[in-house]
Amino acid sequence: MANSKWDFVPKTLLVLISLYLFLGSCVNATSWEDSIAQQKLDKVQKLPGQTFNVSFAHYAGYVTVNEDSGRALFYWFFEAAEDPVSKPLLLWLNGGVASKRYLSYSYRYGSKNCKQVLTSANVGHYVPQLSQAIVRHNSAVKEKAINLKGYMVGNALTDDYHDHVGVFQFMWAAGLISDETYKLLNVLCDHESFVRNSNACDKILDVASEELGNIDPYSIYTPPCSANVSQSKGLLKSRLKAGQLSEKYDPCTERHSEVYFNLPEVQKALHVLPEVAPSKWETCNDIVNEHWKDSPKTVLDVYRELIHVGLRIWIFSGDTDAVIPVTSTRYSIDALKLPTVSHWRAWYDDDGQVGGWTQEYAGLNFVSVRGAGHEVPLHRPKQALTLVKAFLSGTPMPDLKLVSDS
């Protein structure tokens, strides 16, 4: 494991970027004073439907990334609830090839900028690659221009061959596909690109999809969303009026989010500029998926490089996801041939229940989350918080004795 001690910065501003837009004009802070002034303007006062107070500040707006070509990124930043100036800078990068999820960017103040990166899905490619770029840049300039400490990815696309083998084995073992289809998937798809398949592989994948039936492959044991758009709007409005918040998983969360974030009053509260906003905000964009041509077949070589330089690297996996399942992740980790530091064991949540399983390797830590689907924080928020805390502190996942003593 990498050193568990963190160097904290006096003050840090983290911004979470969720949309990539082309702007004719946008904010371009040229000084620290301008940045502070813009920060005040970007503070979100209250969201429509919010009937309760929160103990943290949050901000939303735009950050210029290329003034000449008019490119900017929309961000949404949540400040730590307690003593934010002492906290490490945490970037949440979430989503697949076509998803408009979260990306991040930071202003730097002081001599160091301490970062950790968390991700899921196809971000399993570009977060290790981003980390690699930061490490190589720091090496080239002979200083830690960005003080990257580590990264963690979840249910992440890592290696096309092992991901395919793991997906097919998981679906077969869970009783989702037939023996015949399982065999044909291995014959026709094992050596294919995970992003660009051959016609033969596509056809047998269609057969597998039919055999799965109407289930949510991202969370195979929870019901799929059955609400249509109008029903989703009605349900969302009733919940907003009642101020309902629940820890229970809602399979229509994605559909609700599309309804909510397309409301004009919500976009106004988040300082979205109507002249540059897309006509409709969507969680995923098929155009991006269709035009992604440069996906490498593996990032295991990137892992080997970053393990060597001592970054803290964790991989987690919700164990009810059939898209990038726990079997795929374990096959990819096994391909790295890392020595075991701490053997396979159960870890426990705050209630003393098994939260999942974990194994520590030289340079990498693996954690599964029991009962979670592809988006672990959505399905198991309490267990996900335990996971994030352990990653940030550089401590092992809690065992039963530690939970009992607390």
Side-chain angles (χ1 to χ4, degrees), residues 6 116 118 150-152 312 314 387-394:
W6 301 100
Q116 301 83 36
L118 283 79
Y151 68 87
M152 178 164 67
R312 179 178 303 168
W314 285 35
L387 171 64
V388 171
K389 286 181 176 179
F391 169 71
L392 291 177
S393 64

Side-chain angles (χ1 to χ4, degrees), residues 317-339:
S317 183
D319 64 9
T320 68
D321 173 33
V323 177
I324 307 289
V326 63
T327 43
S328 295
T329 298
R330 293 183 71 184
Y331 277 129
S332 290
I333 292 175
D334 183 66
L336 290 170
K337 305 299 181 186
L338 301 172

Side-chain angles (χ1 to χ4, degrees), residues 66 139 237 305 348:
N66 190 320
S139 177
K237 287 180 179 178
E305 178 181 337
Y348 292 81

Side-chain angles (χ1 to χ4, degrees), residues 29 38-39 56 82 126 183 206 247 376 404:
Q38 189 61 48
Q39 179 184 351
F56 55 86
E82 298 178 2
Y126 65 74
K183 292 174 184 176
D206 288 341
E247 290 187 3
V376 168
S404 302

